[in-house]
Amino acid sequence: MINKAIIIPTGDEILNGTVVDTNSPAIMSIIIEKFPGCEVKREKPVIDAEEYIIKSVERALLEKPDLIILIGGTGGGHRYVSTLARDFTHSALMRTLPKVVYRELIGSNGHLWSKLVCGEKGGCIIANVPGPYEEAIETARALIECINDGVEDPEILVNEAARALKKIYLAGGGS
């Protein structure tokens, strides 16, 4: 049961208003649909920097949520092509969570397309979802449906999220 959830959008483009955050309201809606009594909060967007993402997660944990979802920053293209946006959500979570599981999805170009991370800290499930709208919504929906079914094992959660994301990619909807 999720009584309190926190959504943390990431990305310089979200923070400075270049891109409108449509993901947070949609994910909030999915959470409330499955857990009608849940308190859902959206944090201020965080820039694409590991230290800022880690501090945002640590601040959110002080509120004792059951679920934290970070949006964006799951790719890794900048490690291969310097002009691509920097993505650090996955690496920040891997640094801050005591135990994490992850799934890497590799794009048709052979580069990291998305790295989904899920873990637990202080009784809170913490996971990331990609930034592109369709990918974010379907990945979050898979996570939330699993939690609604009573699944709390990060291994199962990340596998189901990756399965949902891969389905979008194979259908040609992935970025």
Side-chain angles (χ1 to χ4, degrees):
M1 175 60 93
I2 302 296
N3 293 307
K4 185 171 191 175
I6 297 177
I7 297 171
I8 304 173
T10 68
D12 300 1
E13 71 284 3
I14 300 293
L15 181 62
N16 67 27
T18 303
V19 174
V20 175
D21 177 17
T22 56
N23 295 342
S24 293
I27 292 172
M28 292 169 96
S29 177
I30 295 167
I31 293 169
I32 291 169
E33 176 185 322
K34 294 294 182 183
F35 302 100
C38 183
E39 174 188 347
V40 184
K41 179 181 177 183
R42 175 195 181 261
E43 291 290 334
K44 178 182 175 183
V46 181
I47 63 170
D48 289 317
E50 281 184 351
E51 294 307 318
Y52 287 95
I53 295 167
I54 289 169
K55 286 178 183 174
S56 184
V57 169
E58 289 172 350
R59 276 192 309 272
L61 284 167
L62 294 174
E63 298 185 41
K64 305 286 188 220
D66 302 300
L67 175 65
I68 297 174
I69 295 178
L70 290 94
I71 305 170
T74 68
H78 74 277
R79 290 168 177 84
Y80 305 98
V81 179
S82 62
T83 58
L84 294 176
R86 300 186 64 78
D87 295 322
F88 290 112
T89 302
H90 51 81
S91 55
L93 288 177
M94 295 190 70
R95 283 185 48 203
T96 195
L97 297 176
K99 180 183 176 209
V100 297
V101 291
Y102 64 89
R103 293 298 169 266
E104 292 181 339
L105 285 85
I106 306 301
S108 58
N109 63 359
H111 293 192
L112 178 64
W113 170 52
S114 190
K115 185 170 188 173
L116 300 178
V117 178
C118 188
E120 182 271 334
K121 188 170 188 177
C124 177
I125 297 168
I126 303 172
N128 65 346
V129 299
Y133 183 81
E134 184 180 2
E135 297 170 20
I137 302 317
E138 291 309 313
T139 305
R141 185 183 317 280
L143 285 167
I144 294 161
E145 286 180 1
C146 282
I147 294 168
N148 186 53
D149 290 342
V151 175
E152 294 183 5
D153 180 345
E155 184 85 30
I156 296 170
L157 293 172
V158 80
N159 283 337
E160 290 304 313
R163 186 173 290 121
L165 184 54
K166 190 172 183 180
K167 187 184 292 185
I168 291 170
Y169 185 69
L170 292 175
S175 58

